[in-house]
Amino acid sequence: MNNLIIEKTKSSPAVSFNAATGKCELSGSSYPENANEFYTPVFDWLKKYMTDITRELYFTFKLDYLNSSSIKFVSELVDRIDKYSKAGVKNEIEWHYKEEDEDILELGKEFKEEVSCKFTLTED
Amino acid sequence: MDENFCDRRILIVDDTPENIDLLGEILSCYKRSIALNGEKALKLASGSLKPDLILLDVMMPGMDGFEVCKRLKNNPETKDIPVIFITAKSEVEDETKGLELGAVDFIPKPISPPVVIARVKNHLELKVVRQNLEEKNKELAKHNKYITDSINYAKRIQNAILPTADQLKRIFPDSFYLYIPKDIVSGDFYWFKEVDDLKIFAAVDCTGHGVPGAFMSIIGNTLLNEIVETFKVTDPGQILNRLDIKVITELQKDINIQTYDGMDLAIAVFDSRKNLLHFAGAYRPMLYFQNGQLFEIRGERKSIGDPKKEITFTTHTVKVESEIEVYLFSDGFLDQNNFEDKKMGSKKLKELLSGIHKKEFSEQKRILREEFEKHRGEITQRDDVLFAGIRLRPVNKTEIISFSGGMSYDKIISMLDELKEKSQNLLAVKQSKLVFFCVNEFLQNIFNYSADIVYEGEKQISSGFIHAELAGDNIEITSGNRTSIETFERVNQKIKYLNSLDPLQLKSLRKEKIKEESESTSKGGGIGFLEIIRRTNSRIIISSENCGGNFVTMKFYIKIYLGDANE
């Protein structure tokens, strides 16, 4: 299975998903003009990983801005990882936020409440 | 580029026939035109066999190459033909001069045939590319204009749907909104309605901006109208629950299809009868200041139109005990980044609002806009911006204007002036004028026409009072006189009798009274308001109460309907 690498742009985050190690990172700002288009390969990769590789995922979010549609996609992403955890896989999610970035911290707290897998909030 | 350029025409300009022959031979694969002087060259360049490229000698008797080039570039017909200078003069300043005049290249003498061939080919290719680009640009500009025109028209429709600032002021006299769409049309919109004693305001942020956002805003606006107007739902939590179901069903959402289109919104409902402010939010908070302290009520962590989250929207209630400033907004203001990619953020917003919340709203709007622009700087606006502020005051807890003593006409008028001034805080100027005229007329009626009825048999009355209270958009007037219960009963009966009359009978009775009045000098509180019931659309309700002893008061309420402002 291939890694998924998408370069960071002004309005979309860098995607770096490693199929061999299960280390996945999403970093940057997310407000693409068409969020659906941007996140489709992300979800496709994840789905394939979960059915083909079936190992743990170590997910790192280092987002500094998400527009309202992106929040929905990221929320869905967290949700999928959590469901995958419930199937018995020990996944880990790390949510990074910058000092004083209340909004990103709040969003992280919200996700943390909703999931049952390991979820850590890390201040950068 | 594999294109064969043999059908292209080269114009060779040189005063020396040998040079022309040489160049002609080198470029034998092209069609060629020849000119031995500048004048001929200009003529051929704009003639029917228009060249695709010109090789131009600089040193020529009469008009030199530079002058020819200058004229070619000044003529719209020939300005796009690339010019290559061929000359023995190869000093830098000559090249510079030639290039400044618009030449594309320089080929030094003595000529090297491969160089000439290569450069000519290059420039012919470049010319084609340039032409293509120009055509594409024109096409793009055309398409762009077409799309922009279309969106601009859509903007007219969106603007027509959005209520105006004047309409907002009628419902919330002390309010403002800042509305900065990212594109021509916007996914943010504001919505408000008045239903009986309830005043409702919503700040809505649809997913996406621009055209997709605008489409969604139309759906949102329509659904809100339907829920509140048709289904009479006025509890904000319930409004959001209904809206959620509606958006999910209207957009025919399938839980298996990944679409996250919907809206985030904050909705506040002010109950002016109970002095309560109700709030519900879908991913949007409400900020408010009460007694100088800032409070935040967070909305539910769910967007409208998200079929996956089974969260019910709940209503939060705040008692409006003193004046409060309420702020509802989309995330566009907070999320704007600056050149360091730092967001405005809620912390900064709260600090900002804490400093300015007591200022006039027009001033606050100016400051917020300035702060936004200052923060944004040269950075592109990220999202649509909507920011609204509403100031609410508890009603009933009113300022009482009263006076005691004889009810002289002058005193009533001065009281009315005070009333008018105070009512301006509460009502838009237009309404306050209407109230003023209405009350004025009303009091004149009391003053002029009813004295003989009230004081029938008791002509020694020397004191009276009028209380006028501002209660929401009601003006409550209490008129009292030192009088007996028996007299009051008689007055009441008289009121009932007058109320039972039809307008014609009332009119003739009124004429009679005016006639009587001109012969009478007694003055006091009374029942002349009955005339107003028939003459304006403002509702006047009378109730009476006995304040004990022989002191009797009568209360009149004047309800001003906003819809009557033009009458």
Side-chain angles (χ1 to χ4, degrees):
Chain A
M1 187 178 170
N2 290 331
N3 296 338
L4 180 69
I5 308 288
I6 302 172
E7 295 275 327
K8 175 182 175 161
T9 72
K10 210 178 102 227
S11 60
S12 64
V15 178
S16 169
F17 290 2
N18 190 317
T21 61
K23 281 190 179 169
C24 299
E25 187 174 300
L26 207 60
S27 58
S29 294
S30 181
Y31 56 106
E33 207 61 40
N34 186 341
N36 195 43
E37 192 180 281
F38 178 81
Y39 282 97
T40 299
V42 173
F43 280 99
D44 288 348
W45 187 93
L46 213 62
K47 197 177 168 187
K48 197 167 158 46
Y49 183 90
M50 288 173 181
T51 47
D52 295 0
I53 311 287
T54 64
R55 280 198 303 269
E56 293 84 5
L57 279 167
Y58 303 96
F59 236 95
T60 307
F61 292 96
K62 285 185 178 174
L63 298 165
D64 44 39
Y65 167 66
L66 296 106
N67 68 356
S68 43
S69 23
S70 293
I71 290 180
K72 292 172 180 82
F73 281 95
V74 169
S75 156
E76 178 66 19
L77 207 59
V78 173
D79 200 37
R80 296 262 175 110
I81 301 164
D82 191 43
K83 280 210 178 89
Y84 183 53
S85 309
K86 282 177 182 149
V89 189
K90 282 196 172 177
N91 301 304
E92 286 178 21
I93 300 176
E94 218 174 281
W95 184 269
H96 291 250
Y97 62 95
K98 284 184 188 135
E99 194 195 344
E100 288 197 353
D101 195 343
E102 231 182 272
D103 304 312
I104 294 294
L105 173 63
E106 277 305 314
L107 194 63
K109 280 186 186 166
E110 176 189 334
F111 290 145
K112 190 180 163 76
E113 266 176 41
E114 283 166 8
V115 300
S116 54
C117 66
K118 188 178 174 193
F119 194 109
T120 39
L121 291 164
T122 310
E123 189 183 291
D124 288 335
Chain B
M1 200 178 285
D2 294 318
E3 208 172 328
N4 183 356
F5 290 109
C6 288
D7 59 336
R8 302 302 150 101
R9 182 172 291 277
I10 314 281
L11 170 61
I12 303 167
V13 189
D14 204 312
D15 58 324
T16 325
E18 292 78 28
N19 287 343
I20 289 184
D21 288 346
L22 178 61
L23 283 167
E25 206 172 301
I26 296 168
L27 301 169
S28 62
C29 86
Y30 302 101
K31 292 179 181 167
R32 282 146 292 149
S33 302
I34 284 151
L36 287 161
N37 56 54
E39 287 82 2
K40 184 80 192 292
L42 291 172
K43 208 172 153 192
L44 286 174
S46 57
S48 55
L49 297 173
K50 206 172 161 186
D52 295 289
L53 186 104
I54 299 169
L55 293 175
L56 185 57
D57 184 23
V58 176
M59 298 289 282
M60 289 189 293
M63 194 190 296
D64 72 358
F66 290 136
E67 182 59 26
V68 175
C69 184
K70 199 165 136 188
R71 292 195 186 188
L72 283 168
K73 295 298 160 193
N74 281 336
N75 182 351
E77 248 185 273
T78 55
K79 73 176 174 44
D80 293 328
I81 307 169
V83 173
I84 300 175
F85 278 119
I86 297 193
T87 178
K89 291 185 79 180
S90 59
E91 283 90 4
V92 179
E93 63 262 37
D94 284 338
E95 277 200 30
T96 312
K97 189 180 176 191
L99 295 173
E100 270 170 10
L101 285 170
V104 293
D105 211 346
F106 250 89
I107 297 176
K109 284 178 187 174
I111 293 158
S112 149
V115 167
V116 173
I117 289 168
R119 292 204 180 173
V120 165
K121 184 158 183 282
N122 276 348
H123 286 294
L124 284 172
E125 276 177 3
L126 271 176
K127 193 191 170 205
V128 171
V129 172
R130 206 160 42 229
Q131 267 173 347
N132 279 345
L133 267 179
E134 265 165 33
E135 272 164 34
K136 287 270 185 287
N137 272 344
K138 269 185 204 158
E139 219 170 286
L140 277 177
K142 206 174 107 189
H143 276 286
N144 190 39
K145 187 178 180 317
Y146 181 76
I147 294 168
T148 312
D149 284 352
S150 174
I151 299 175
N152 273 324
Y153 201 86
K155 183 191 184 180
R156 288 172 44 142
I157 296 173
Q158 192 173 48
N159 283 348
I161 287 169
L162 285 175
T164 62
D166 277 354
Q167 286 171 307
L168 178 66
K169 294 247 157 138
R170 282 196 197 172
I171 297 180
F172 297 102
D174 204 355
S175 63
F176 81 96
Y177 66 83
L178 178 64
Y179 182 61
I180 320 171
K182 171 178 159 53
D183 306 311
I184 303 166
V185 286
S186 170
D188 285 6
F189 73 99
Y190 48 91
W191 180 95
F192 50 83
K193 275 280 169 321
E194 188 176 33
V195 183
D196 300 326
D197 292 319
L198 305 174
K199 294 155 185 266
I200 312 174
F201 186 91
V204 191
D205 177 2
C206 297
T207 47
H209 46 87
V211 176
F215 268 116
M216 193 57 93
S217 77
I218 303 287
I219 296 175
N221 190 67
T222 310
L223 290 178
L224 279 172
N225 282 337
E226 188 185 303
I227 292 165
V228 176
E229 284 182 340
T230 315
F231 294 104
K232 306 283 178 213
V233 181
T234 51
D235 174 78
Q238 288 307 320
I239 293 173
L240 296 194
N241 286 327
R242 289 258 190 158
L243 188 62
D244 187 37
I245 295 166
K246 281 274 179 188
V247 169
I248 292 169
T249 48
E250 293 271 319
L251 298 181
Q252 298 195 345
K253 288 203 165 173
D254 186 328
I255 203 147
N256 298 312
I257 298 176
Q258 262 181 27
T259 56
Y260 297 103
D261 304 314
M263 52 197 87
D264 296 348
L265 76 148
I267 184 164
V269 179
F270 179 50
D271 184 335
S272 61
R273 207 160 45 87
K274 296 180 185 160
N275 286 329
L276 295 175
L277 178 65
H278 306 290
F279 167 78
Y283 260 126
R284 301 299 325 139
M286 171 174 86
L287 295 181
Y288 68 96
F289 288 88
Q290 189 153 27
N291 300 323
Q293 205 183 334
L294 172 63
F295 298 92
E296 178 175 13
I297 302 179
R298 285 170 183 260
E300 241 63 58
R301 286 164 175 179
K302 174 181 156 65
S303 287
I304 297 293
D306 183 349
K308 290 197 147 187
K309 281 193 183 168
E310 285 176 10
I311 293 176
T312 318
F313 294 101
T314 48
T315 298
H316 307 262
T317 300
V318 177
K319 276 189 194 167
V320 182
E321 285 164 335
S322 54
E323 184 177 88
I324 70 172
E325 288 85 28
V326 180
Y327 298 94
L328 303 176
F329 43 88
S330 69
D331 59 1
F333 192 90
L334 296 174
D335 284 345
Q336 181 60 50
N337 54 336
N338 66 3
F339 70 100
E340 287 174 310
D341 210 25
K342 237 185 135 176
K343 282 181 287 185
M344 183 77 104
S346 25
K347 198 179 160 193
K348 192 170 168 193
L349 173 72
K350 285 174 191 169
E351 282 168 9
L352 178 63
L353 288 179
S354 296
I356 63 169
H357 70 99
K358 277 291 160 206
K359 288 185 193 285
E360 291 271 323
F361 271 149
S362 55
E363 178 71 359
Q364 292 192 35
K365 178 177 173 172
R366 191 186 59 75
I367 293 171
L368 284 164
R369 181 185 273 276
E370 264 179 27
E371 286 295 320
F372 180 77
E373 295 302 341
K374 206 170 88 190
H375 180 81
R376 185 171 76 87
E378 301 288 309
I379 306 293
T380 325
Q381 190 178 331
R382 242 180 196 172
D383 200 356
D384 297 321
V385 169
L386 172 64
F387 204 104
I390 296 166
R391 190 171 280 131
L392 298 171
R393 291 184 187 85
V395 293
N396 296 333
K397 193 192 163 196
T398 48
E399 299 144 282
I400 295 172
I401 316 158
S402 67
F403 79 108
S404 51
M407 289 195 290
S408 75
Y409 186 76
D410 286 347
K411 279 202 173 173
I412 291 172
I413 292 304
S414 78
M415 190 205 74
L416 277 171
D417 280 338
E418 209 180 328
L419 182 68
K420 187 177 142 196
E421 212 182 290
K422 296 213 175 187
S423 68
Q424 274 177 347
N425 293 326
L426 193 73
L427 298 150
V429 177
K430 198 172 175 187
Q431 260 84 50
S432 79
K433 274 186 189 155
L434 186 74
V435 170
F436 176 74
F437 286 124
C438 199
V439 173
N440 193 17
E441 187 184 35
F442 165 52
L443 289 173
Q444 280 184 26
N445 270 279
I446 296 173
F447 185 70
N448 288 327
Y449 310 134
S450 58
D452 55 336
I453 301 167
V454 176
Y455 300 111
E456 204 175 30
E458 285 196 32
K459 297 205 171 180
Q460 298 306 307
I461 300 304
S462 60
S463 68
F465 68 91
I466 288 181
H467 283 280
E469 295 185 18
L470 305 174
D473 47 13
N474 287 316
I475 290 204
E476 189 182 295
I477 295 160
T478 310
S479 165
N481 280 287
R482 195 179 295 276
T483 184
S484 68
I485 303 296
E486 289 76 21
T487 305
F488 181 70
E489 280 306 316
R490 269 207 303 283
V491 169
N492 241 355
Q493 274 172 18
K494 190 77 184 174
I495 289 167
K496 276 183 194 153
Y497 163 66
L498 288 172
N499 267 332
S500 70
L501 296 176
D502 68 38
L504 272 178
Q505 288 174 302
L506 200 75
K507 204 174 169 186
S508 70
L509 195 73
R510 186 168 175 260
K511 276 185 184 163
E512 243 179 80
K513 276 199 209 317
I514 293 169
K515 204 177 148 205
E516 282 174 28
E517 179 59 30
S518 63
E519 291 153 14
S520 163
T521 51
S522 56
K523 292 168 172 62
I527 54 167
F529 60 90
L530 285 166
E531 290 287 332
I532 299 176
I533 298 177
R534 312 287 167 159
R535 276 190 286 146
T536 76
N537 288 326
S538 304
R539 190 172 68 192
I540 299 177
I541 305 162
I542 175 167
S543 76
S544 55
E545 55 187 278
N546 187 348
C547 291
N550 61 354
F551 211 71
V552 168
T553 62
M554 282 176 260
K555 276 193 179 184
F556 314 104
Y557 300 91
I558 302 179
K559 167 108 179 162
I560 305 302
Y561 286 103
L562 298 174
D564 297 337
N566 296 327
E567 293 191 33

